[in-house]
Amino acid sequence: MATYEEIFRASTADPEGFWLRAAESIDWAVPPSRALDDSRPPFYRWFPDGELNICHNALDRHVDAGRGEQSALVYDSPVTGSQRTYTYSALRDEVAKFAGVLAGLGVAAGDRVVIYMPMVPEAAIAMLACARIGAVHSVVFGGFAPKELAVRIDDATPSVIVSASCGIEGKRVIEYKPLLEAAIELAAHKPGKRVVLQRPQAEAAMGPDDVDWAAAMADSEPAGCVTVKATDPLYILYTSGTTGKPKGVVRDTGGYAVALNWSMPNVYDVGAGETIFTGSDVGWVVGHSYIVYAPLLVGATSVLYEGKPVGTPDAGQYWRVVAEHGVKSLFTAPTAFRAIKKEDPKGELLAGYDLSSMKYLFLAGERLDPETHRWASDLLGIPVIDHWWQTETGWPIVANPAGIELLEIKPGSPTRPLPGWDVQVLDPSGAPVATGTDGAIVVKLPMPPGALPTLWNDDERFVSSYMAAFDGFYLTGDGGHLDDDGYVFVMGRTDDVINVAGHRLSTGGMEEVLAGHPDVAECAVIGVADPMKGQVPRGFVVLKAGVQREEDELRAELVQLVREQIGAVASLKDVAVVAGLPKTRSGKILRKTMRGIADGADEPVPSTIDDPAVLDALRPVLRRP
Ligand code: COA
Ligand code: AMP
């Protein structure tokens, strides 16, 4: 058995050979003759002459290999009190039928389909059905408000939208159909049909453009797999950037299939017949990669869970899921564990569940604080593996490769770079910093298969956002350092992106909403540390001259505005009216300084500050717990 060091070295010494060998585990319609097309940097293309269908690789090939009766997807929904298991055969049949529905609605290879759904198996079925016919899906997280959905509809210009009548948040039923209607009303692009899954908790009124999921499935002619180029887009996943306009991260097909297929046994130590439970949402990259595609590519069983880790009915649900479904690897965000710890600090709910199947806990999506790491490790007595990646990268950049060998765990570090990822830390001039010194975390180009080839319809923004800061490097947007053993320490974002309960959000987007209020002259939103959600946004507004408002009333209006325009998931609950915002002499708001003070740091006053008195006046508000 090769060691991590040997495997990593092989990937850097001969990337071409390394990834072509990894590609042999995929069923290709036309096998790739070479790994990388690097003729047009920074636009790299993996497996340029390969052709395949990822749905065939995720479903049909396992059925063809005689494993059709094995569980593929387990839907576990404490919020509806239901469970359903799909074998590989059953899932393949459902996906083929829904692919037939889409084809019947005129969806062809290359067309986009927006999926706006709660955590129901039909969301995964819709994704795989798109992949089956070569259509490009774009899943929009159900917690986003109509305006956010509308922006994505206008950018992706889908021919069809797939949705559901409602989602369930704890004990609340959230009707999706009115949100969908509002989004279509706001969008300039008008999609053709909308397929709606009726759920008994709240059935939707159907209009002339609506197609009932169940009725359409009953009439459907199953569709086969359409072969696409490895470089064809599989999906677009929008993610937060610096402004309110989200970035449409494009995922290719062949590179992604190879990378995910490699990561399952080598990182998550999960193979055919074993079970992974990823507690996330299909609206995020973690859900795309490790609820849907990766587990199915390797013939494993994936648990799709509808609910929160706490609340309905209690904070022992993750343990119940592990015990009932024989989960080997549990993957979620640290915030889920902080939520469980808050409800059940002694882990008393663990008793009564047989957790012997669980070998690892994987955590990602935000910084794993050492305290939560320790609590989870002590409670479970298994390796707790922090790992770091992003929507853009599609799979982990830095991890402890449990399936190869378990490296020493250093709390605070997601461990070491995986094969293909040449992670470096640079200072603003582009020079590498010494170990232990913080700087911009970058990846030397080309990145390995699976990483984004570009942004949807926006090569220019791809270059300006990620490739322009340091020539020849991808800018991750995270800051941090390396240590002498090559461990990576990710300390936080260096831009206006924040992570709230593992959800990636843009403070810039929230500022745009607050600035749209008629009484607001200027504003700032910063992410501050929160014991449960990791970070939460705090807003600061300066009113227009002459405006007199009762502060509580105005705050309620502003909070509501952000809920309406971005969604409840923004979690902006705290907005303060202040006399002024600290700025540099050139007029730039000193958000980093504000953040530092709010987090309790002894933040030095920058020499570029315009008026130190403004900052002094703000200090008590920033320090308020
Ligand atoms: N549809 C509609 N509303 C949603 C939603 C969805 N899919 N997801 C979240 N929301 C709402 C919540 O109901 C909440 O509304 P409220 O302000 O009216 O109470 C708001 O958005 C904020 O949600 P969240 O930040 O998730 O807070 P929470 O208190 O509801 O739950 C956790 C906190 C930690 C339990 C939950 O975020 C969690 O389980 N996170 C870990 C797993 C995860 O999803 N990771 C993502 C990436 S790996
Ligand atoms: P997303 O694109 O939603 O997956 O969010 C990616 C961002 O989450 C990264 O750029 C980091 O800021 C943060 N992140 C993800 N995983 C980790 C981790 N293990 N440690 C620290 N930050 C993380």
Side-chain angles (χ1 to χ4, degrees):
M1 288 285 282
T3 63
Y4 158 80
E5 290 281 359
E6 287 162 354
I7 292 174
F8 185 82
R9 263 203 306 276
S11 80
T12 48
D14 175 21
E16 184 83 12
F18 183 88
W19 291 113
L20 274 179
R21 273 192 304 282
E24 285 168 9
S25 308
I26 291 294
D27 256 12
W28 298 87
V30 178
S33 67
R34 61 196 182 114
L36 181 66
D37 173 3
D38 58 0
S39 59
R40 206 168 64 92
F43 299 95
Y44 296 93
R45 296 287 182 265
W46 282 95
F47 311 112
D49 58 359
E51 294 183 17
L52 75 163
N53 182 282
I54 197 168
C55 179
H56 164 82
N57 277 277
L59 300 174
D60 302 61
R61 72 161 162 166
H62 304 307
V63 178
D64 297 346
R67 292 196 293 108
E69 291 318 300
Q70 187 206 301
S71 301
L73 195 67
V74 177
Y75 166 58
D76 185 304
S77 170
V79 290
T80 59
S82 59
Q83 285 193 17
R84 206 183 313 155
T85 296
Y86 294 81
T87 62
Y88 270 94
S89 288
L91 190 59
R92 193 264 321 259
D93 292 349
E94 289 292 292
V95 167
K97 267 203 280 176
F98 195 66
V101 170
L102 292 175
L105 294 173
V107 178
D111 290 350
R112 274 80 56 214
V113 173
V114 160
I115 300 172
Y116 182 63
M117 294 184 97
M119 282 294 285
V120 288
E122 287 81 357
I125 290 169
M127 292 164 74
L128 290 158
C130 289
R132 194 170 186 85
I133 55 172
V136 180
H137 60 70
S138 186
V139 183
V140 179
F141 176 61
F144 280 124
K147 187 160 172 282
E148 291 287 324
L149 177 56
V151 171
R152 288 155 174 80
I153 290 173
D154 276 339
D155 198 64
T157 60
S159 45
V160 166
I161 299 189
V162 185
S163 191
S165 59
C166 66
I168 297 144
E169 277 289 297
K171 292 192 169 58
R172 271 183 305 154
V173 174
I174 297 185
E175 292 192 33
Y176 272 43
K177 191 69 192 319
L179 304 175
L180 177 63
E181 296 299 340
I184 294 173
E185 184 67 34
L186 284 170
H189 171 81
K190 303 297 173 196
K193 299 285 181 192
R194 316 89 188 256
V195 184
V196 180
L197 174 77
Q198 292 282 21
R199 305 188 75 193
Q201 292 78 12
E203 294 221 352
M206 302 288 269
D209 292 328
D210 299 326
V211 175
D212 178 81
W213 174 292
M217 287 290 268
D219 289 345
S220 160
E221 192 61 42
C225 293
V226 171
T227 296
V228 300
K229 291 200 198 103
T231 52
D232 279 343
L234 170 66
Y235 65 74
I236 308 165
L237 180 55
Y238 289 89
T239 192
S240 300
T242 304
T243 65
K245 187 178 183 301
K247 297 171 178 167
V249 168
V250 174
R251 189 77 59 214
D252 69 1
T253 306
Y256 188 52
V258 170
L260 291 186
N261 196 69
W262 185 90
S263 72
M264 277 305 279
N266 291 300
V267 179
Y268 299 95
D269 197 14
V270 172
E274 296 180 321
T275 302
I276 183 167
F277 165 30
T278 300
S280 177
D281 190 289
V282 287
W284 305 115
V285 71
V286 171
H288 279 64
S289 293
Y290 294 103
I291 295 175
V292 181
Y293 285 107
L296 299 177
L297 281 169
V298 298
T301 304
S302 179
V303 179
L304 185 145
Y305 175 83
E306 185 182 29
K308 306 255 171 190
V310 294
T312 311
D314 62 21
Q317 288 312 293
Y318 276 14
W319 320 136
R320 177 189 62 72
V321 169
V322 167
E324 280 184 21
H325 308 302
V327 171
K328 181 176 182 188
S329 287
L330 166 59
F331 173 7
T332 189
T335 188
F337 266 73
R338 290 194 295 268
I340 294 170
K341 180 178 168 219
K342 185 160 171 257
E343 297 286 307
D344 181 23
K346 295 199 181 118
E348 285 162 347
L349 290 166
L350 235 68
Y353 294 113
D354 175 3
L355 302 186
S356 56
S357 65
M358 183 161 57
K359 300 292 178 246
Y360 311 96
L361 169 63
F362 289 89
L363 297 171
E366 53 170 327
R367 183 170 156 75
L368 173 57
D369 52 289
E371 171 52 30
T372 305
H373 198 164
R374 199 170 319 115
W375 184 79
S377 305
D378 291 350
L379 184 71
L380 298 171
I382 55 172
V384 174
I385 299 180
D386 180 12
H387 59 314
W388 170 64
W389 53 297
Q390 313 178 304
T391 305
E392 288 85 346
T393 66
W395 64 290
I397 310 167
V398 170
N400 201 328
I404 299 172
E405 62 171 319
L406 206 57
L407 303 175
E408 181 199 347
I409 292 176
K410 297 190 188 184
S413 168
T415 313
R416 298 186 59 182
L418 290 173
W421 297 103
D422 184 351
V423 177
Q424 303 189 19
V425 181
L426 305 181
D427 72 12
S429 75
V433 299
T435 52
T437 307
D438 280 344
I441 309 182
V442 297
V443 180
K444 191 162 184 338
L445 298 176
M447 290 191 279
L452 81 170
T454 189
L455 293 175
W456 182 250
N457 278 340
D458 210 344
D459 284 353
E460 241 171 71
R461 193 175 180 200
F462 170 73
V463 173
S464 63
S465 303
Y466 303 113
M467 307 296 171
F470 302 106
D471 193 29
F473 294 91
Y474 162 77
L475 183 72
T476 66
D478 281 302
H481 60 266
L482 296 166
D483 76 2
D484 290 334
D485 300 326
Y487 278 61
V488 181
F489 288 75
V490 183
M491 307 312 288
R493 298 285 307 194
T494 55
D495 55 13
D496 297 328
V497 168
I498 56 172
N499 254 286
V500 181
H503 308 317
R504 177 165 159 182
L505 298 159
S506 157
T507 55
M510 291 183 223
E511 287 182 2
E512 283 173 28
V513 175
L514 296 184
H517 188 285
D519 294 339
V520 172
E522 58 179 354
C523 64
V525 175
I526 56 171
V528 298
D530 180 81
M532 219 266 276
K533 296 195 175 187
Q535 274 184 307
V536 285
R538 276 183 75 185
F540 301 85
V541 295
V542 178
L543 299 188
K544 286 183 180 158
V547 170
Q548 301 271 324
R549 290 291 312 265
E550 207 277 306
E551 192 166 334
D552 282 349
E553 191 187 67
L554 176 66
R555 179 180 302 121
E557 276 173 30
L558 292 168
V559 164
Q560 188 53 27
L561 206 58
V562 171
R563 275 180 92 87
E564 276 168 18
Q565 298 205 10
I566 296 178
V569 70
S571 296
L572 179 71
K573 302 232 160 98
D574 184 0
V575 183
V577 177
V578 296
L581 295 167
K583 293 183 190 157
T584 61
R585 283 186 284 279
S586 60
K588 212 170 157 302
I589 296 173
L590 290 162
R591 293 181 181 79
K592 187 167 168 283
T593 310
M594 290 171 66
R595 226 168 31 225
I597 296 170
D599 283 344
D602 199 10
E603 197 67 24
V605 177
S607 58
T608 53
I609 195 163
D610 180 37
D611 182 357
V614 175
L615 184 62
D616 288 340
L618 196 62
R619 248 178 235 281
V621 185
L622 286 165
R623 288 245 160 91
R624 205 187 60 220

